[in-house]
Amino acid sequence: GEASALECLGVARLGMNDAAGAIDAFDRAREIHREIGLERGVAMMTRRLGEALALDGRIAEAIDHFSEALAFFDDRGDDYNRARILMGLAGALVKEDRPREAGERLETALEAATRAGALQEQGNAHLALARLAQRAGDPTSERTHLEEAHAVFEELGSPQAAETQARLAELGPDEAPGQS
């Protein structure tokens, strides 16, 4: 129970952009899981620590934590958690200005989320891929991923559907090459 409460506190701290508070909460929760021998709990808190470290700008440490957690879930064939970790890892790689590697992780996250049937994670992966495409100046890829994300978010009734629709509207009408 204490580890769960600490995780909730850490998530709240992340939401408030309090990286130090999140790191403390997740680290304490991870130690409790370690003491009672819950390997999955240790791996989950290791992922959460990666998120908090990335927020704190400690990108190399974040990447190490994501990689450690990913190895645990890779060994167990847990595609849902693999997708979530790969999304976090991709975000850290973007912060380290490694967009190609981030894109590769996002594509793998999308595949894992699809295998797991995790629609929200599929939408999140498409949205992140759209942002990478926007950053790279590739409006065709951006539109494709935004359309995919929008379809998923709309199916889920997610408020993110409005975000994707607004960006699609900013891009303007989809014109085939050679049209004006």
Side-chain angles (χ1 to χ4, degrees):
E2 183 180 354
S4 292
L6 285 165
E7 180 182 10
C8 288
L9 178 61
V11 170
R13 298 284 186 179
L14 279 177
M16 298 183 320
N17 290 322
D18 176 7
I23 290 167
D24 179 62
F26 294 141
D27 194 44
R28 290 170 42 206
R30 185 170 69 160
E31 283 309 308
I32 291 169
H33 286 296
R34 195 172 272 140
E35 288 171 15
I36 59 178
L38 293 176
E39 292 179 22
R40 186 176 189 285
V42 171
M44 294 295 289
M45 291 307 99
T46 300
R47 173 182 68 88
R48 292 289 197 184
L49 274 165
E51 294 170 356
L53 290 162
L55 178 64
D56 199 38
R58 296 161 55 185
I59 306 304
E61 289 176 78
I63 290 170
D64 288 345
H65 279 76
F66 286 128
S67 297
E68 180 184 332
L70 184 59
F72 177 86
F73 290 108
D74 274 346
D75 287 347
R76 283 145 186 87
D78 183 334
D79 281 324
Y80 175 76
N81 281 302
R82 288 183 67 243
R84 296 202 58 198
I85 294 163
L86 286 162
M87 295 280 297
L89 179 56
L93 290 167
V94 166
K95 287 181 179 182
E96 200 168 71
D97 199 29
R98 295 164 58 184
R100 183 187 57 75
E101 291 172 76
E104 291 168 358
R105 297 316 182 282
L106 289 170
E107 290 290 349
T108 304
L110 180 57
E111 292 166 9
T114 301
R115 279 192 305 273
L119 290 177
Q120 181 69 43
E121 296 310 315
Q122 290 173 47
N124 290 341
H126 278 297
L127 186 56
L129 284 162
R131 288 178 179 145
L132 268 184
Q134 179 184 17
R135 177 182 170 165
D138 181 354
T140 303
S141 263
E142 180 185 5
R143 175 178 298 285
T144 299
H145 286 294
L146 282 171
E147 288 171 348
E148 292 290 336
H150 181 71
V152 169
F153 294 145
E154 200 166 60
E155 179 181 340
L156 293 172
S158 169
Q160 289 172 293
E163 174 188 347
T164 54
Q165 185 62 45
R167 180 61 188 146
L168 283 165
E170 287 174 13
L171 288 173
D174 185 18
E175 295 182 5
Q179 290 183 337
S180 32

